[in-house]
Amino acid sequence: MNKKKLHDVLFTTEYSEEIAYLTDEQASGFQSDFRYVVDYFIQMRKNGMYKGPDEHVEHIREVLQLLLVLADDRRFWELAEDIQKGEGIRTMGEALDRIEQRGIEQGIEQGEEKMAKLVRLLLAEGRYEDALRAATDKQEREKLFQEFAVDNRMEEGRRYQNGLAPSFLP
């Protein structure tokens, strides 16, 4: 008989896909905090997005750690570390609000970095009029971004480089 280790069963994409296709009746059978993991995968399959409930999650850090692994989403890592530091996240709704706020902050930072890079390049070439147009005209700014090949992606994995691993993982 081919016995699977618990780790091999839990930490595969097949398992998370199976969770996503549980029936409503099967999903309602979970009474522990695992129900939030089940709810996450079902909502993601059905709606392509997740709206976390605003009810207290007893073991929120562990739920986020499990979602980190099963969903392969590093945003849950950051939240689990925040909780470990004592920050007050008690519901999945609060957790998702925190993720959304971080996304907004990162988007603003990326936009600022992109614009600063464009302005530096324009000023280095003495194109002061274009720098002014970039600041005031969205279409002109987009043309200049393309001309100078300035994209809107931040350095990939900047926060996770140098082999950093979540402190709560072995």
Side-chain angles (χ1 to χ4, degrees):
M1 174 182 274
N2 184 9
K3 293 185 179 181
K4 292 184 178 181
K5 294 181 181 178
L6 180 59
H7 178 275
D8 295 337
V9 172
L10 284 177
F11 303 120
T12 64
T13 56
E14 292 84 22
Y15 188 72
S16 57
E17 289 173 11
E18 288 178 25
I19 293 171
Y21 286 93
L22 291 173
T23 65
D24 290 339
E25 182 181 346
Q26 291 170 319
S28 68
F30 291 98
Q31 300 302 311
S32 70
D33 285 346
F34 188 70
R35 72 183 181 269
Y36 300 106
V37 174
V38 171
D39 184 48
Y40 172 83
F41 284 105
I42 290 173
Q43 283 192 46
M44 291 300 290
R45 176 184 57 84
K46 288 181 176 179
N47 310 321
M49 57 184 292
Y50 176 69
K51 176 160 177 24
D54 286 322
E55 56 192 53
H56 178 77
V57 180
E58 185 69 27
H59 304 285
I60 186 90
R61 184 171 162 257
E62 291 77 8
V63 168
L64 294 170
Q65 289 170 340
L66 189 54
L67 284 170
L68 160 70
V69 175
L70 291 177
D72 193 26
D73 189 333
R74 292 186 287 201
R75 296 173 302 173
F76 294 118
W77 160 11
E78 293 173 347
L79 289 177
E81 286 191 332
D82 287 350
I83 291 168
Q84 187 171 354
K85 294 174 188 170
E87 293 190 27
I89 300 171
R90 301 197 183 348
T91 71
M92 291 302 288
E94 290 172 357
L96 283 242
D97 288 347
R98 181 78 59 94
I99 287 172
E100 183 177 15
Q101 183 59 38
R102 284 186 177 161
I104 291 168
E105 290 167 4
Q106 288 174 352
I108 291 168
E109 182 181 337
Q110 289 173 357
E112 289 172 350
E113 288 178 11
K114 182 178 177 179
M115 186 63 180
K117 183 176 181 178
L118 178 62
V119 169
R120 281 192 308 273
L121 293 168
L122 288 168
L123 294 177
E125 291 191 6
R127 294 173 61 178
Y128 304 109
E129 296 284 326
D130 284 338
L132 181 59
R133 277 195 287 281
T136 58
D137 184 325
K138 183 178 180 176
Q139 287 180 330
E140 190 64 28
R141 182 170 49 247
E142 290 301 323
K143 288 178 190 175
L144 291 166
F145 283 145
Q146 288 180 359
E147 178 183 338
F148 285 88
V150 177
D151 66 18
N152 61 354
R153 290 175 285 160
M154 290 178 63
E155 184 180 331
E156 286 294 321
R158 180 167 56 186
R159 293 184 180 177
Y160 308 103
Q161 59 186 297
N162 301 326
L164 295 177
S167 60
F168 54 79
L169 292 178

